[in-house]
Amino acid sequence: MSCDLTTCCSVEIPNRFCDQLGATLTVSLTELPSHLPTNIISCDQSYEIKVCMELTAVFKKIFCGYWCVNLAAESCGPGKEWSAGSQVIKMDNCDPQTDDCVTFIVKGSDLIECPSTGCGEVFYFCVTMVALDPCDKKPIGIAGFCKLGPVMVY
């Protein structure tokens, strides 16, 4: 409450606003061009990893900012580590029917030499996500990660 000689003002924010705020994070791996889900990929094909984030609250329309999403792969056992890098997209909290999504295109040859001479290798794709403020693109405390796999590459 703030008061001076002529005014006295009070602002209330319902507790349910804070209790309601949540976020979802989903990751999927599909073959291209068929977009069929898979977990065994060939070194001579391309694949799509789609990462979707969404705030879950009635009042999410007042939130603005960015999502920063990073994709990397780590091998099971000795092997290649790989990173697709990061993508930053603007949050779109106006349409309750759509999530905010980024797509990474991954070639099997990004992970192993092609043509493959071995019996295949197993990887986990690691996704990290951080919400960034709209002014300085600094983290605001909403963060998450997913591990997609195991995925065999041959």
Side-chain angles (χ1 to χ4, degrees), residues 32-101:
L32 292 176
S34 69
H35 290 283
L36 293 172
T38 188
N39 64 351
I40 298 178
I41 67 178
S42 170
C43 70
D44 61 355
Q45 267 188 276
S46 292
Y47 300 85
E48 176 182 276
I49 294 181
K50 188 173 184 178
V51 181
C52 297
M53 300 75 50
E54 188 64 24
L55 294 175
T56 56
V58 172
F59 65 96
K60 72 179 187 175
K61 290 181 181 182
I62 65 172
F63 274 81
C64 56
Y66 296 88
W67 295 112
C68 179
V69 181
N70 188 73
L71 173 68
E74 118 188 318
S75 70
C76 293
K80 182 178 180 180
E81 305 292 315
W82 175 82
S83 176
S86 297
Q87 292 187 41
V88 176
I89 63 165
K90 191 171 184 167
M91 289 180 185
D92 177 5
N93 293 319
C94 293
D95 185 353
Q97 303 303 315
T98 61
D99 292 349
D100 297 328
C101 298

Side-chain angles (χ1 to χ4, degrees), residues 26-30 48-52 101-104 127 148:
T26 59
V27 181
S28 62
L29 171 64
T30 57
E48 176 182 276
I49 294 181
K50 188 173 184 178
V51 181
C52 297
C101 298
V102 297
T103 300
F104 295 91
V127 175
L148 175 66

Side-chain angles (χ1 to χ4, degrees), residues 130-148:
V130 176
L132 306 174
D133 74 56
C135 303
D136 303 314
K137 292 189 178 175
K138 301 282 186 199
I140 59 173
I142 299 171
F145 68 93
C146 286
K147 196 171 191 180
L148 175 66

